[in-house]
Amino acid sequence: MDSRTKQSPPTNGGSKKSVRAGLRLLLLVIFVGWIMMWIMLPVKVYKNVWTPKLNVKLNSKFIGSQGANLVIFTFPIMLIAALSCVYLHLESKHADNHKESSRSRLAVLRRPVLVKAPLGIVTSMELLFSAMFVALMIWSLGNYLYVNYQHLHMHKVGEKVWQAKFRAVFLRLGYVGNISWAFLFFPVTRGSSILPLVGLTSESSVKYHIWLGHISMVLFALHSIGFFIYWGLTDQMADGLEWSKDYVSNVAGEIAWVVSLAMWATSIPRVRRKMFELFFYTHYLYIVYLVFYLLHVGIAYFCTILPGVFLFLIDRFLRFLQSQKRVRLVSARVLPCETVELNFSKSPELHYSPTSMVYINIPSISKLQWHPFTVTSNSNMEPDTLSLAIKCGGSWSENLYKKLSSISCVVDRLDVSIEGPYGPNSPHFLRHDVLVMVTGGRGITPMISIIKEVIFRKNTSSNATPKLILISAFKKSADLGMLDLLLPISGTPWDLSGINLQIEAYVTTENQETESTAKLNPQTISFKPNVHDEPLTATFGPNSWLWLGVVITSSFIMFLLFLGILTRYYIYPIDKNTEKVYHYSGRALWDMFFVCICIAAAASGAFLWNKKNLSANRVQNKDIVTPTMSPAGLTTEYPIQELESVPRQSLAQATNVHYGSRPDLKNILFNCKDSNVGVLVCGPRKMRHEAAKICSSGLAENLHFEAISFNW
């Protein structure tokens, strides 16, 4: 036999790893090139040399005046989004337990350096990128003004030089504000294929959306106010009512600004916390804002921010499709600590990482409100069930608690819709030797999913798992019942004694356990199966990332085709062969219409195709056995048949309860002497800031901080 035939080919895993590395490098190159175009956009060479050449080559009779910006600013991000889906699909098919180990090399950049309101907790990496973003805006404004001042445009006969310069300043402030809008929608795209590439999720990125929103609103406010001042100084107030046929509409810009002011005012933290529903409903005015913003700036300039809007609209429509079905709610537990645990049926093919979250809607409480909750179940240990815990903390959760408390033990159904789950791409906390989880009140829920993941890894893998230290602060002893969410649903095989778990529970307002709360029993409610309910599934089934790439690619290609046909055979003949000029706003509305139609068609087609396949292969929903143990207090005795005795004993042995005191985080964290200690905090802002300051003090280099927060 030829010796060459004895050589073993490269392993499939190695080739896939090479493909992923190549894709990641390609994505980085495309992104850097896209950023470079933003840097070059305001400079003189771009305006005077590049723009004429680009317009000749790219602004064809098929695309029109937006051709250059479509190719330079829209196409690269759409390509990144599509290729990212391929990358994430390959990554999900080749899960590596240690793939997050490389993140430790960037531990210094992920360490908090600024812990102060209103920015909150800011890491070195966030500070670095924020400084680069601010530098880009300053660079852009400076170059815009430098180029503009060299070739001043007198808006009317007799206009003075200082007036032209005054106008130029506030015009360019609007241009710089547009940079913020180019990035604004990426952080709130929940099913984004771009955020996971940099280790982010939509919930962890919301603060970037807030920062960008405030920056853009300040710049747009200066832009608008400056123009009103300019019109007043030059006796041109009538221009404020102009809706030009062949140029930008000032009226549309003013309407967009007024709408944005309403959104901005209700997003102020104090207003948002006290009147969340007002903030929630007002924020949907973004649809109105986008339409009038488009009519104001025109489609050619709108193409610079189109990628973020396009991808957000895809995500929003897919969420709408997923939310139309009612998810099978199997059971609920009403706990004495004013907490409700909901157990849903899910498809075994649906996988999610610990700390993932879902958005749920219960029409009988509110038809419009959607609320996020972290998942407490584990998709590996509980393949047919998705569970979440909801603690009373607002009118919506209080209404749910009262509703479930007042019904019988067995009811027909409770209509619930779910969007998600959304979460990190991998359980990165496994890279630590010790994981200290600091929680306050309902902040314990994401930690439950982490503990379950460690239990699963311990029982199924030979890799080392971290030691777990759970520091939980509760107001009342009744709240200790939330710890029993760690206990398995009856029939689910797992044992807490198999992991190194230490729980320190602090009851801050009581000096001892109260007898009245210790003996309260939970109420278990079972829901009858209903033919209209379905198990929770991923929007596109097990190959969701690939299908998302198909939707992104096909919808964008369809958009370009429709745009080309309209421009070539309708708009172009009017502009070229007649004395008429096609309406400036009409072009913009056509483009936005095509964006919406193409997204709806591509997403609906992919969704229905996958739904048909899933329906053909779906097994009938399985009714899970509901838990019957009572989680009121760890020291309370109950009939043995109501308890999962071994897990409960393990939980009691691992738990130390401290009454009348708060956790001394500084002492606890500094006593962790291991070389790699993760500090994960989910709780009130004061608790998060305290832990962040300790980890960033420089006194303990082994502490690596990370926060989970829903208090934006």
Side-chain angles (χ1 to χ4, degrees):
M1 182 181 294
D2 193 326
S3 59
R4 289 175 295 180
T5 61
K6 298 180 181 180
Q7 297 176 358
S8 59
T11 62
N12 191 38
S15 62
K16 287 185 177 180
K17 187 174 182 179
S18 300
V19 172
R20 298 201 306 273
L23 272 175
R24 201 175 185 97
L25 178 61
L26 176 61
L27 294 171
L28 178 61
V29 171
I30 297 173
F31 178 74
V32 171
W34 183 70
I35 292 295
M36 287 301 300
M37 294 310 300
W38 276 105
I39 295 174
M40 294 300 298
L41 181 62
V43 302
K44 187 175 181 179
V45 66
Y46 186 93
K47 178 179 177 63
N48 297 335
V49 180
W50 291 11
T51 298
K53 295 180 179 179
L54 290 171
N55 288 340
V56 170
K57 293 183 178 181
L58 301 177
N59 291 357
S60 68
K61 58 186 177 182
F62 285 97
I63 299 297
S65 59
Q66 67 265 40
N69 284 346
L70 268 175
V71 172
I72 294 172
F73 294 102
T74 303
F75 179 74
I77 296 300
M78 300 305 294
L79 180 60
I80 288 176
L83 292 178
S84 297
C85 293
V86 178
Y87 175 84
L88 292 171
H89 174 76
L90 294 175
E91 192 176 50
S92 65
K93 296 300 182 183
H94 191 264
D96 186 354
N97 294 342
H98 300 286
K99 68 179 177 179
E100 292 291 336
S101 61
S102 60
R103 301 180 94 187
S104 60
R105 303 170 189 172
L106 301 176
V108 176
L109 293 178
R110 297 180 184 276
R111 190 180 298 275
V113 293
L114 179 65
V115 185
K116 191 174 182 181
L119 294 179
I121 303 169
V122 182
T123 66
S124 301
M125 184 176 294
E126 291 171 340
L127 194 63
L128 175 63
F129 279 98
S130 298
M132 293 169 62
F133 183 78
V134 172
L136 174 62
M137 291 194 296
I138 295 174
W139 162 269
S140 299
L141 180 60
N143 278 277
Y144 276 134
L145 294 178
Y146 172 75
V147 174
N148 194 267
Y149 282 1
Q150 287 187 327
H151 305 280
L152 278 176
H153 170 67
M154 301 303 176
H155 192 57
K156 70 172 186 176
V157 178
E159 185 177 41
K160 298 178 181 179
V161 172
W162 73 267
Q163 292 174 337
K165 290 185 176 181
F166 184 89
R167 180 181 183 274
V169 170
F170 292 100
L171 174 64
R172 301 309 176 182
L173 283 173
Y175 281 28
V176 176
N178 192 70
I179 299 176
S180 298
W181 270 77
F183 295 88
L184 187 70
F185 286 91
F186 292 110
V188 289
T189 303
R190 295 177 192 166
S192 171
S193 61
I194 295 178
L195 292 179
L197 294 179
V198 289
L200 294 175
T201 60
S202 59
E203 57 271 16
S204 67
S205 308
V206 168
K207 64 179 179 180
Y208 308 139
H209 174 79
I210 296 173
W211 295 352
L212 291 168
H214 286 313
I215 292 172
S216 63
M217 283 308 306
V218 169
L219 293 171
F220 288 151
L222 292 173
H223 169 75
S224 302
I225 294 171
F227 262 88
F228 279 114
I229 295 174
Y230 167 78
W231 289 330
L233 292 174
T234 57
D235 298 323
Q236 301 180 71
M237 288 302 294
D239 285 0
L241 302 176
E242 181 183 17
W243 196 303
S244 175
K245 182 178 180 180
D246 56 0
Y247 196 54
V248 299
S249 166
N250 293 332
V251 176
E254 292 154 10
I255 295 174
W257 181 51
V258 171
V259 170
S260 67
L261 286 178
M263 297 168 60
W264 194 22
T266 56
S267 65
I268 296 172
R270 182 172 297 180
V271 177
R272 187 179 69 242
R273 294 191 189 102
K274 291 185 177 181
M275 296 179 287
F276 181 81
E277 290 188 19
L278 177 64
F279 156 77
F280 181 81
Y281 296 130
T282 305
H283 233 59
Y284 273 96
L285 290 174
Y286 76 86
I287 301 172
V288 179
Y289 178 87
L290 279 176
V291 172
F292 285 98
Y293 181 81
L294 169 62
L295 295 175
H296 177 58
V297 302
I299 187 60
Y301 201 70
F302 188 78
C303 286
T304 58
I305 73 167
L306 181 59
V309 175
F310 203 107
L311 295 173
F312 172 79
L313 291 178
I314 289 176
D315 178 72
R316 188 65 191 87
F317 190 74
L318 290 175
R319 284 158 44 196
F320 167 77
L321 292 176
Q322 186 186 28
S323 66
Q324 294 310 294
K325 66 180 182 180
R326 295 290 186 250
V327 179
R328 165 88 165 96
L329 177 60
V330 179
S331 67
R333 278 198 301 171
V334 182
L335 307 183
C337 52
E338 295 187 332
T339 300
V340 174
E341 182 191 54
L342 302 180
N343 300 304
F344 298 92
S345 173
K346 84 168 186 70
S347 168
E349 291 79 20
L350 175 62
H351 292 279
Y352 50 85
S353 294
T355 72
S356 293
M357 60 186 299
V358 295
Y359 286 75
I360 72 170
N361 169 260
I362 302 179
S364 59
I365 298 178
S366 174
K367 293 183 179 180
L368 297 178
Q369 292 185 42
W370 289 80
H371 291 268
F373 298 100
T374 48
V375 177
T376 57
S377 54
N378 181 277
S379 61
N380 293 308
M381 299 174 67
E382 302 154 281
D384 301 316
T385 308
L386 182 141
S387 303
L388 54 91
I390 303 172
K391 184 171 177 59
C392 290
S395 59
W396 187 90
S397 55
E398 289 174 357
N399 289 336
L400 174 63
Y401 185 82
K402 292 177 182 178
K403 184 179 183 68
L404 293 177
S405 300
S406 62
I407 62 179
S408 60
C409 292
V410 179
V411 295
D412 287 338
R413 69 183 300 193
L414 179 65
D415 287 344
V416 183
S417 296
I418 292 182
E419 292 179 359
Y422 310 103
N425 205 36
S426 61
H428 56 272
F429 49 83
L430 291 176
R431 73 183 187 273
H432 299 295
D433 300 325
V434 177
L435 182 62
V436 181
M437 299 171 287
V438 183
T439 72
R442 53 188 167 180
I444 192 176
T445 52
M447 310 307 177
I448 293 173
S449 63
I450 291 177
I451 294 173
K452 290 182 179 180
E453 179 67 19
V454 173
I455 294 174
F456 172 76
R457 297 294 178 108
K458 184 71 175 179
N459 293 332
T460 60
S461 173
S462 59
N463 294 324
T465 55
K467 175 185 177 181
L468 302 178
I469 302 176
L470 176 62
I471 312 296
S472 295
F474 303 104
K475 286 186 178 181
K476 299 177 293 185
S477 57
D479 295 337
L480 290 170
M482 296 194 71
L483 292 174
D484 278 4
L485 294 171
L486 286 167
L487 297 176
I489 295 173
S490 297
T492 306
W494 77 69
D495 186 2
L496 290 168
S497 62
I499 61 173
N500 192 346
L501 173 64
Q502 175 186 346
I503 302 176
E504 302 292 336
Y506 293 80
V507 181
T508 59
T509 61
E510 299 175 4
N511 292 324
Q512 61 181 356
E513 183 180 20
T514 59
E515 185 177 351
S516 60
T517 58
K519 294 184 178 179
L520 291 176
N521 290 323
Q523 179 185 1
T524 301
I525 303 167
S526 298
F527 297 90
K528 296 178 181 178
N530 191 291
V531 294
H532 299 292
D533 293 338
E534 302 177 20
L536 180 64
T537 58
T539 307
F540 292 133
N543 294 318
S544 289
W545 286 122
L546 280 185
W547 277 104
L548 178 60
V550 170
V551 171
I552 292 172
T553 304
S554 59
S555 59
F556 187 62
I557 291 175
M558 285 189 340
F559 166 69
L560 295 179
L561 289 175
F562 282 134
L563 183 62
I565 293 171
L566 177 76
T567 304
R568 175 63 184 88
Y569 297 104
Y570 182 58
I571 296 178
Y572 180 77
I574 293 176
D575 290 342
K576 188 71 174 178
N577 302 326
T578 68
E579 296 180 356
K580 299 179 181 180
V581 176
Y582 197 83
H583 203 289
Y584 193 82
S585 299
R587 294 172 184 263
L589 291 176
W590 271 117
D591 283 39
M592 182 54 72
F593 174 74
F594 285 149
V595 167
C596 296
I597 289 297
C598 294
I599 288 174
S604 298
F607 180 81
L608 293 175
W609 177 270
N610 280 275
K611 184 178 181 179
K612 179 181 178 181
N613 291 337
L614 288 172
S615 298
N617 300 325
R618 181 176 297 151
V619 296
Q620 292 197 353
N621 298 348
K622 297 179 181 179
D623 289 339
I624 62 174
V625 182
T626 58
T628 56
M629 60 281 196
S630 175
L634 293 173
T635 61
T636 306
E637 295 295 333
Y638 294 93
I640 192 65
Q641 64 268 22
E642 294 186 356
L643 301 178
E644 296 288 345
S645 57
V646 174
R648 188 175 183 83
Q649 290 173 5
S650 300
L651 179 60
Q653 292 171 359
T655 304
N656 295 317
V657 182
H658 310 268
Y659 291 95
S661 63
R662 297 180 181 275
D664 185 353
L665 293 183
K666 188 173 184 179
N667 182 56
I668 293 172
L669 295 179
F670 283 165
N671 282 334
C672 295
K673 302 301 182 181
D674 296 80
S675 59
N676 184 7
V677 179
V679 181
L680 184 59
V681 186
C682 185
R685 178 177 301 172
K686 184 177 180 181
M687 174 181 282
R688 299 197 308 271
H689 287 191
E690 180 185 358
K693 289 178 180 178
I694 295 171
C695 295
S696 62
S697 64
L699 300 178
E701 296 295 331
N702 62 330
L703 301 179
H704 305 285
F705 176 84
E706 185 174 349
I708 301 175
S709 172
F710 303 110
N711 297 324
W712 304 313

